Amino acid sequence: MHNSSPVPLSIYIFSFNRGQFLENCISSVKRNTENCRITVVDDDSYDPETLNVIQKHQRQIDVVSPSTSPSSIRLGGLYTNMNFAINHCKDAGTKYALFIQDDMQVVRSIAARDLAEVENFFDANEQAIQLQTCFLKKEFQHRDATMMTLLATGSAYVREDDYPEGGHAYFSAVGVFHVERLINRLETLRDTEDKNNELCKKLGIKIGWSATPFMMYLPNPISYRGRQRTLALRASEWLAGSGFYPYQPMSADITNRFLTRDYSEIPYAEDWLTASGFRRGVPWNYAGGLSSLVAQGGWRGTIGRSLQRIRRWTT
């Protein structure tokens, strides 16, 4: 490892075949962190742009993938790769792991204050294994108004048990994980977000949502389904205007106003972040595919909803 000394936070970037996104993610992590071990867990990308990005950064950060790891290390698929990262942290003696994906960006500096709030959250919530450090999605603001509560510590929110589908209350694939607690309570992650959400629900383990998040998914990205970008997926994302829309880093003034606001104001990405090249009036969608098309509204939205119905009928 490039940094052999124990650190309080290790950062893992999970990537596959989105070189422009990966470059943006790595650069944002390097720009906004200090003294953190950074590892890219690449799922055997094969497109030249992604491989060039990995080659560019591999002297400053660690890179692992199924084809380059020792045979004793099992990799391949997001949740297998996440399990590798958790055990990698355990072996290194790292207390916390930050998981971030290639279509995400760190939008402001992760300072000592942020690490202190992570520590305070886990100290005050002994059952917690995860603090979600993403901004929230404004599409859920109406349910958040009545189904999301600021904890007494004031540093995080939790969602009610019956929070509707589409916004998990118990588990997310990204954010800061307490390594020892995750291993002790879950042993290993299951292979989908829904399965992990259900397991954590059964165990009574909820996500904490940071009141001062520092990262977010990029809006309206290109996506993969089962490691593929089919013609239908490409066509729907073309109609939706999907592409690469990185965030402008939060300025010192905006960051100060953000951190000193009344935390009863839930931090929605649309209220605080600006995505370069993205039309402001368009609803933000982060999943890609048909959901991005539906989010456009108008005739594009009608096409997207029709295609979603067809897909449900045929599957």
Side-chain angles (χ1 to χ4, degrees):
M1 291 297 168
H2 298 295
N3 181 355
S4 59
S5 61
V7 292
L9 180 70
S10 287
I11 301 173
Y12 293 85
I13 302 171
F14 299 92
S15 76
F16 178 70
N17 265 8
R18 291 189 285 194
Q20 192 175 27
F21 289 82
L22 179 59
E23 170 64 32
N24 180 67
C25 184
I26 292 174
S27 296
S28 75
V29 170
K30 291 171 66 176
R31 182 171 61 247
N32 289 296
T33 62
E34 293 182 1
N35 301 320
C36 293
R37 177 182 286 113
I38 303 170
T39 302
V40 170
V41 186
D42 182 69
D43 208 16
D44 272 348
S45 294
Y46 51 79
D47 77 289
E49 184 176 25
T50 302
L51 297 178
N52 287 338
V53 170
I54 290 172
Q55 184 178 25
K56 171 185 173 182
H57 291 281
Q58 64 184 357
R59 290 187 178 181
Q60 292 80 40
I61 63 177
D62 297 302
V63 180
V64 294
S65 65
S67 61
T68 61
S69 296
S71 58
S72 61
I73 299 178
R74 181 169 177 261
L75 287 169
L78 176 60
Y79 284 91
T80 300
N81 293 347
M82 289 171 66
N83 280 321
F84 157 78
I86 288 292
N87 285 288
H88 191 253
C89 279
K90 177 186 176 183
D91 293 342
T94 306
K95 190 172 184 179
Y96 302 119
L98 172 63
F99 288 178
I100 185 170
Q101 296 174 8
D102 56 2
D103 62 340
M104 303 177 72
Q105 181 178 329
V106 176
V107 296
R108 65 175 181 83
S109 174
I110 302 176
R113 166 181 173 153
D114 297 293
L115 296 178
E117 290 201 350
V118 168
E119 192 85 17
N120 291 338
F121 168 77
F122 286 114
D123 285 347
N125 300 275
E126 295 182 355
Q127 293 298 314
I129 65 171
Q130 179 182 12
L131 179 64
Q132 235 287 14
T133 50
C134 282
F135 283 76
L136 284 100
K137 302 173 182 178
K138 202 161 188 178
E139 63 178 300
F140 298 140
Q141 65 177 327
H142 296 299
R143 64 179 72 165
D144 288 342
T146 57
M147 303 186 75
M148 179 170 271
T149 304
L150 184 66
L151 293 172
T153 56
S155 63
Y157 313 90
V158 292
R159 285 172 166 169
E160 299 296 330
D161 292 341
D162 55 349
Y163 198 90
E165 182 180 354
H168 289 161
Y170 302 92
F171 180 87
S172 172
V174 297
V176 176
F177 291 86
H178 190 296
V179 174
E180 182 179 11
R181 289 185 192 174
L182 189 152
I183 293 173
N184 288 344
R185 294 172 188 176
L186 304 188
E187 294 186 1
T188 185
L189 294 174
R190 286 24 176 195
D191 61 358
T192 69
E193 189 167 62
D194 285 339
K195 289 180 182 179
N196 287 299
N197 191 64
E198 284 301 312
L199 176 60
C200 289
K201 182 177 182 179
K202 289 179 181 178
L203 296 174
I205 301 171
K206 283 191 175 183
I207 304 175
W209 294 84
S210 174
T212 55
F214 49 73
M215 67 188 203
M216 189 55 186
Y217 289 94
L218 301 190
N220 206 13
I222 64 166
S223 63
Y224 282 81
R225 299 291 184 265
R227 297 173 61 87
Q228 301 293 322
R229 277 185 54 76
T230 64
L231 181 60
L233 178 60
R234 291 173 184 269
S236 63
E237 291 187 343
W238 176 79
L239 279 176
S242 299
F244 175 61
Y245 303 107
Y247 294 116
Q248 297 175 14
M250 293 176 69
S251 67
D253 177 63
I254 291 175
T255 298
N256 182 63
R257 287 193 285 113
F258 175 67
L259 295 176
T260 57
R261 78 189 195 283
D262 183 338
Y263 288 172
S264 63
E265 179 188 348
I266 295 174
Y268 293 112
E270 292 87 339
D271 292 336
W272 291 97
L273 304 179
T274 300
S276 300
F278 192 70
R279 288 184 293 131
R280 191 70 185 177
V282 175
W284 292 21
N285 178 276
Y286 307 92
L290 291 179
S291 61
S292 288
L293 193 55
V294 171
Q296 303 305 305
W299 63 270
R300 293 180 179 86
T302 300
I303 291 175
R305 288 188 294 273
S306 298
L307 292 174
Q308 284 180 332
R309 287 194 292 269
I310 293 172
R311 186 172 62 184
R312 286 194 292 268
W313 293 335
T314 58
T315 57

